[in-house]
């Protein structure tokens, strides 16, 4: 039998046990889906510093006794370390969660409640109506969170910096408590949020880094958990698009304008056709003359003016596209005629027989039939493809106003990387990310700057970043954004070029460490996308965040990726995070909805999964009730290639 010391060591060293209690009449009765509970569970499970062996969930109605019973059971019997409640903290008649909580806690924790209120008031003044109760019962910490998905996530992240230390205190983990106190007195915070001076992401921004950033040379003192709050894909996307600004227009020669977006309407300065033109090869006639023999007066050829005006009893031979001579009001196709007389061995027609009657205007394109003079032929926001450029040429337009395309710099980071044309030393790998991203940019027509490979040290990174920002409107880097001791990208962004980091983690798969920053000068604002180093993650997050931003900057009225419905080809296990799986779409027979087939293993490192993919399947995060997507289910898919 284990002795007391062994039991204590096992209890203090194990990860925390967490319970999430949803308080809602509607969720309890099944008339309303519980969104805050599963969302909070997924976020708690993703937090490296607060990863629970078990994250329990339960739903109870807005009944004081049932709330109390659940809290007492979890704290006294199951001895959970942290109990989070969502819902019932407002002013409605049945909002009794704070009263139920206060009735069973032994010690109040007003600092936690104050932290949530202060943080929430920075988001909305309505937060003053929230009544959270926080405290301890035995060794359990109980915290009331709002009932909304957004509010519960925000308030959880407000108190997150103190949770780890609070749990160590309650469990009697003297080793961790002493370490935390020591780090605080030495000026180095052990708190995962304070290490960068970051706060929660309300207001769509992370505050600027303070001067007392941790010394990156002291590896042992680096943050053990990410200092960046986890935000959703939708929040991250909205942030990126809010910072992507349409670039100023300029006049561009049409021969160089393929793929550009028009900045103004374009009108035709000339009609098309500019003269009455024959639709067929045949004879220009006077329709009132009717059928019968006619003398051939002359001819009218494309590219030449008619030699004479047509008079009754005569016809003029004409070719397709040639000007219709004055006096003529119709064209008879050559198939509706026969030769009566010729001269010079057939080189000259003297007389033909018109075999059928024609109506006035028959087989003649009048002036401006296709395009009227001063007609708007292309509207602002139109993308200039082959047909559009041909249309401009047809009315003699050679220069157009178009939005400038953003110039993009691409850099890979990592000591382990080598160029594909070099010998790959032991412990190294070929850099595929730059080739992939530069090719993707070229496919969409964006001008690029290849900045090569930057080493994992502050000097190399900062020099490369400064060069990138000086040359481009948008910078894309891959690697160096996770939690390794050499992942210095965000540090160099903030210290080296004074960038504003707007987010450093996104709740999605693949691409959790994706980061986004802006660098603002007096004359412009540059965008910086720090993408994960794993090849599949890099190209997926490029499509999710970078490409839409670039499209917006170059003037697209709808820069989003095309979204369609797709049918799942086989059962798919869902992840705690929303996932974008690489798939190949194909239409089977007369099916209106394509079938999505997964392109093999979805590991972040497996670039092979992108080779045959033409879409990203948008899978929701798993819930307690739904763990997999069944074969035949209909889900959304984002088009990323030729379908």
């Amino acid at each position: 039998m284990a002795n007391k010391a062994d039991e204590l060591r096992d209890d203090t060293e194990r990860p925390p046990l967490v319970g999430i209690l949803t308080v809602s009449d509607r969720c309890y009765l099944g008339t309303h889906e519980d969104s805050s509970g599963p969302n909070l569970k997924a976020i708690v499970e993703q937090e490296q510093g607060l990863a629970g062996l078990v994250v329990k969930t339960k739903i109870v109605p807005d009944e004081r006794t049932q709330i109390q019973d659940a809290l007492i059971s979890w704290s006294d019997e199951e001895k959970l370390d942290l109990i989070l409640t969502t819902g019932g903290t407002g002013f409605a008649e049945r909002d009794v969660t704070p009263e139920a909580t206060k009735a069973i806690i032994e010690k109040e924790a007003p600092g936690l409640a104050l932290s949530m209120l202060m943080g929430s008031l920075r988001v909305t003044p309505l937060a003053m109506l929230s009544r959270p109760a926080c405290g301890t019962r035995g060794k359990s910490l109980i915290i009331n969170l709002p009932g909304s998905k957004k509010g519960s996530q925000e308030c959880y992240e407000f108190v997150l910096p103190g949770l780890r230390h609070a749990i160590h205190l309650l469990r009697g983990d003297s080793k961790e408590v002493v370490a935390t106190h020591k780090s605080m007195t030495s000026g180095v915070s052990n708190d995962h949020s304070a290490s960068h001076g970051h706060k929660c992401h309300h207001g769509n921004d992370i505050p600027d880094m303070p001067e007392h950033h941790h010394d990156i040379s002291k590896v042992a003192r680096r943050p053990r958990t990410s200092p960046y709050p986890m935000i959703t894909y939708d929040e991250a996307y909205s942030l990126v698009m809010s910072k992507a600004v349409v670039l100023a227009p300029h006049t561009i020669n049409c021969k160089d304008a393929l793929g550009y977006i028009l900045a103004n309407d374009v009108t035709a300065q000339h009609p098309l056709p500019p003269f009455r033109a024959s639709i067929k090869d045949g004879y220009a006639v006077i329709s009132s003359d009717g059928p019968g023999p006619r003398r051939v007066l002359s001819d009218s050829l494309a590219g030449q003016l008619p030699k004479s005006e047509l008079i009754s009893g005569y016809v003029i031979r004409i070719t397709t596209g040639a000007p219709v001579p004055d006096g003529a009001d119709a064209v008879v196709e050559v198939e509706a005629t026969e030769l009566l007389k010729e001269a010079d061995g057939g080189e000259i027609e003297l007389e033909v027989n018109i075999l059928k009657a024609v109506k006035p205007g028959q087989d003649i394109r009048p002036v401006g039939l296709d395009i009227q003079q001063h007609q708007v032929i292309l509207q602002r926001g139109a993308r200039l493809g082959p047909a559009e450029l041909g249309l401009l040429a047809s009315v003699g337009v050679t220069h157009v106003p178009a939005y400038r395309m953003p110039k993009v710099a691409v850099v890979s980071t990592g000591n382990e990387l080598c160029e594909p044309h070099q010998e790959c030393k032991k412990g190294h790998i070929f850099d595929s990310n730059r080739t992939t991203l530069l090719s993707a940019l070229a496919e969409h027509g964006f001008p690029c700057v290849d900045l090569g490979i930057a080493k994992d040290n502050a000097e190399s990174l900062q020099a490369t970043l400064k060069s990138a920002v000086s040359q481009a409107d948008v910078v894309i880097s891959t690697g160096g954004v996770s939690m390794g001791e050499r992942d210095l990208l965000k540090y160099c962004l903030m210290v080296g070029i004074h960038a504003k980091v707007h987010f450093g983690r996104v709740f999605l798969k693949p691409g959790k460490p994706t980061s986004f920053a802006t660098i603002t000068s007096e004359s412009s604002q540059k965008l910086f996308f720090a993408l994960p180093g794993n090849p599949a993650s890099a190209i997926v997050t490029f499509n999710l965040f970078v490409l839409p931003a670039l499209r917006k900057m170059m003037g697209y009225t709808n820069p989003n990726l095309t979204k369609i419905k797709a049918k799942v080809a086989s059962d798919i296990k869902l992840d705690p995070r929303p996932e974008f799986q690489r798939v190949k779409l194909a239409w089977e027979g007369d099916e209106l909805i394509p079938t999505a087939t997964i392109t093999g293993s979805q590991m972040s490192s497996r670039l092979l999964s992108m080779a045959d993919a033409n879409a990203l399947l948008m899978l929701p995060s798993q819930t307690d009730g739904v763990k997999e997507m069944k074969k035949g289910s209909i889900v959304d898919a984002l088009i990323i290639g030729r379908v």
Side-chain angles (χ1 to χ4, degrees):
M1 179 179 292
N3 59 33
K4 190 68 175 179
D6 290 334
E7 292 177 3
L8 180 61
R9 183 179 64 251
D10 292 343
D11 184 65
T12 58
E13 291 181 357
R14 64 166 174 77
L17 304 179
V18 182
I20 299 174
L21 183 68
T22 300
V23 181
S24 169
D25 287 334
R26 292 187 297 170
C27 293
Y28 181 74
L29 295 173
T31 60
H32 188 271
E33 183 180 0
D34 177 18
S35 60
S36 59
N39 178 65
L40 198 58
K41 178 177 183 291
I43 293 172
V44 170
E45 288 175 335
Q46 290 298 319
E47 290 297 340
Q48 297 182 28
L50 199 61
L53 288 175
V54 177
V55 180
K56 300 177 65 68
T57 60
K58 186 175 183 179
I59 301 175
V60 297
D62 291 293
E63 294 288 349
R64 183 166 174 170
T65 56
Q66 293 196 45
I67 298 171
Q68 292 177 197
D69 290 344
L71 295 177
I72 292 172
S73 173
W74 275 1
S75 58
D76 294 4
E77 298 172 13
E78 301 192 40
K79 300 188 183 305
L80 302 189
D81 299 287
L82 175 65
I83 301 172
L84 304 171
T85 72
T86 68
T89 61
F91 275 41
E93 181 180 355
R94 292 182 61 78
D95 286 341
V96 295
T97 303
E99 286 71 28
T101 302
K102 290 178 180 178
I104 63 96
I105 60 176
E106 298 165 347
K107 294 180 182 178
E108 290 192 35
L112 292 171
L114 182 61
S115 174
M116 289 190 289
L117 288 173
M118 290 177 63
S120 298
L121 284 170
R122 292 197 296 267
V123 181
T124 172
L126 294 180
M128 66 179 69
L129 302 181
S130 183
R131 305 179 301 108
C134 304
T136 63
R137 180 182 176 90
K139 293 186 177 182
S140 298
L141 175 60
I142 303 172
I143 299 175
N144 293 165
L145 302 176
S148 70
K149 179 179 178 181
K150 180 175 182 291
S152 61
Q153 178 176 337
E154 289 172 346
C155 287
Y156 170 72
E157 296 199 6
F158 282 134
V159 299
L160 184 57
L163 292 187
R164 189 177 184 189
H165 187 50
I167 292 173
H168 289 319
L169 287 167
L170 288 170
R171 286 161 58 170
D173 190 347
S174 58
K175 179 180 177 181
E176 289 291 338
V177 171
V178 170
T180 299
H181 288 167
K182 183 177 179 181
S183 66
M184 291 172 64
T185 57
S186 65
V188 180
S189 173
N190 194 44
D191 169 15
H192 81 286
S193 170
S195 61
H196 279 268
H198 294 315
K199 300 176 183 177
C200 196
H201 58 278
H202 302 300
N204 289 340
D205 282 314
I206 295 174
D208 292 328
M209 183 190 64
E211 294 181 359
H212 60 270
H213 192 284
H214 76 279
D215 186 347
I216 61 173
S217 66
K218 294 179 171 57
V219 175
R221 295 180 179 179
R222 73 188 189 277
R224 300 288 167 167
T225 55
S226 175
Y228 295 90
M230 185 90 71
I231 68 174
T232 66
Y233 163 67
D234 289 339
E235 289 173 322
Y237 183 84
S238 296
L239 250 173
V240 167
M241 300 307 282
S242 71
K243 301 299 180 182
V245 179
V246 180
L247 299 179
H250 67 312
T251 299
I252 186 170
N253 193 309
C254 287
K255 68 179 183 180
D256 301 318
L258 180 65
Y260 279 77
I261 304 296
L262 278 180
N264 288 310
D265 294 349
V266 176
T267 58
Q269 301 304 306
H270 306 282
L272 186 68
F275 51 81
R276 294 192 307 150
S278 176
I279 294 176
K280 295 180 178 179
D281 296 320
Y283 297 86
V285 301
I286 298 173
S287 59
S288 60
D289 283 352
R294 299 285 184 272
R295 296 291 301 272
V296 179
L297 184 61
S298 62
D299 57 27
S300 178
L301 305 178
Q304 299 179 6
L305 293 176
K307 299 173 183 177
S308 58
E309 180 179 345
L310 184 62
I311 58 177
S312 182
Y314 287 83
V315 296
I316 293 178
R317 192 170 67 253
I318 195 169
T319 60
T320 300
V324 176
D326 292 341
D329 66 351
V331 171
V332 174
E333 60 188 12
V334 68
E335 292 88 347
T337 67
E338 61 181 3
L339 179 67
L340 296 179
K341 285 185 181 180
E342 63 177 47
D344 293 343
E347 293 184 9
I348 299 175
E349 288 183 344
L350 297 177
E351 188 175 342
V352 296
N353 189 24
I354 304 299
L355 300 177
K356 69 176 184 179
V358 291
K359 298 178 181 179
Q362 184 167 321
D363 287 333
I364 293 177
R365 293 167 62 210
V367 174
L369 173 65
D370 297 328
I371 299 173
Q372 295 288 328
Q373 188 174 17
H374 305 309
Q375 176 184 337
V376 175
I377 57 173
L378 289 174
Q379 293 184 324
R380 176 176 177 265
R383 183 180 182 276
L384 297 176
E388 289 77 13
L389 292 173
L391 181 59
L392 293 172
S394 73
V395 292
V397 175
T398 59
H399 291 77
V400 291
Y403 294 108
R404 190 166 61 85
M405 276 199 183
K407 191 174 184 180
V408 188
V410 179
V411 58
S412 293
T413 69
N415 293 338
E416 76 281 10
L417 299 179
C418 65
E419 297 285 3
H421 62 271
Q422 295 177 335
E423 179 184 355
C424 194
K425 301 176 182 177
K426 289 184 178 181
H428 287 64
I429 59 172
F430 291 119
D431 175 22
S432 63
N433 286 347
R434 260 173 43 253
T435 298
T436 303
L437 294 174
L438 288 167
S439 300
L441 291 164
E443 185 177 36
H444 291 280
F446 296 108
C448 302
V449 180
D450 183 357
L451 291 178
I453 300 170
K455 297 301 181 181
D456 285 328
N457 62 72
E459 293 76 17
S460 174
L461 271 176
Q462 290 181 17
T464 302
L465 297 184
K466 288 178 180 178
S467 175
V469 171
S470 69
Q471 298 184 62
D473 303 293
V474 176
V475 182
I476 307 172
S477 69
T478 59
V481 289
S482 191
M483 291 298 298
E485 63 184 81
R486 290 294 180 180
D487 289 330
L488 306 176
L489 201 285
K490 287 192 277 277
Y491 168 85
C492 291
L493 275 174
M494 302 174 83
V495 171
I497 58 177
H498 306 293
K500 178 83 167 180
V501 177
H502 298 284
F503 61 78
R505 287 192 304 164
V506 185
F507 192 57
L508 83 163
K509 181 182 180 182
K512 177 183 172 183
T514 302
S515 304
F516 172 66
T518 53
I519 304 97
T520 304
S521 64
E522 293 181 359
S523 59
S524 65
Q525 175 178 269
K526 309 294 180 74
L527 304 187
F528 198 106
F529 293 90
L531 307 182
N534 276 321
S537 293
I539 188 60
V540 168
T541 50
F542 168 83
N543 280 283
L544 293 180
F545 298 111
V546 184
L547 184 56
L550 295 176
R551 285 178 170 178
K552 182 180 177 183
M553 294 175 72
M554 64 176 288
Y556 269 77
T557 53
N558 180 13
N560 303 326
L561 299 182
T562 300
K563 183 190 296 185
I564 66 172
K565 297 293 182 182
K567 182 170 57 176
V568 176
S570 59
D571 293 349
I572 303 175
K573 184 179 179 181
L574 297 177
D575 192 82
R577 287 175 282 170
E579 186 174 5
F580 292 84
Q581 289 204 356
R582 286 80 76 193
V583 296
K584 181 177 181 179
L585 299 181
W587 279 260
E588 300 176 352
D590 296 329
E591 292 285 340
L592 298 178
I593 298 178
T595 298
T597 303
I598 295 173
T599 55
S601 170
Q602 297 294 298
M603 291 180 62
S604 298
S605 59
R606 195 172 189 269
L607 189 57
L608 188 61
S609 64
M610 287 295 300
D612 204 28
N614 55 20
L616 298 175
L617 204 61
M618 303 176 68
L619 298 175
S621 55
Q622 67 175 226
T623 64
D624 288 340
V626 181
K627 299 293 185 182
E628 66 178 1
M629 188 67 63
K630 294 294 186 181
K631 176 181 179 180
S633 299
I634 305 298
V635 297
D636 289 330
L638 297 175
I639 302 299
I640 60 170
R642 293 183 175 88
V643 179

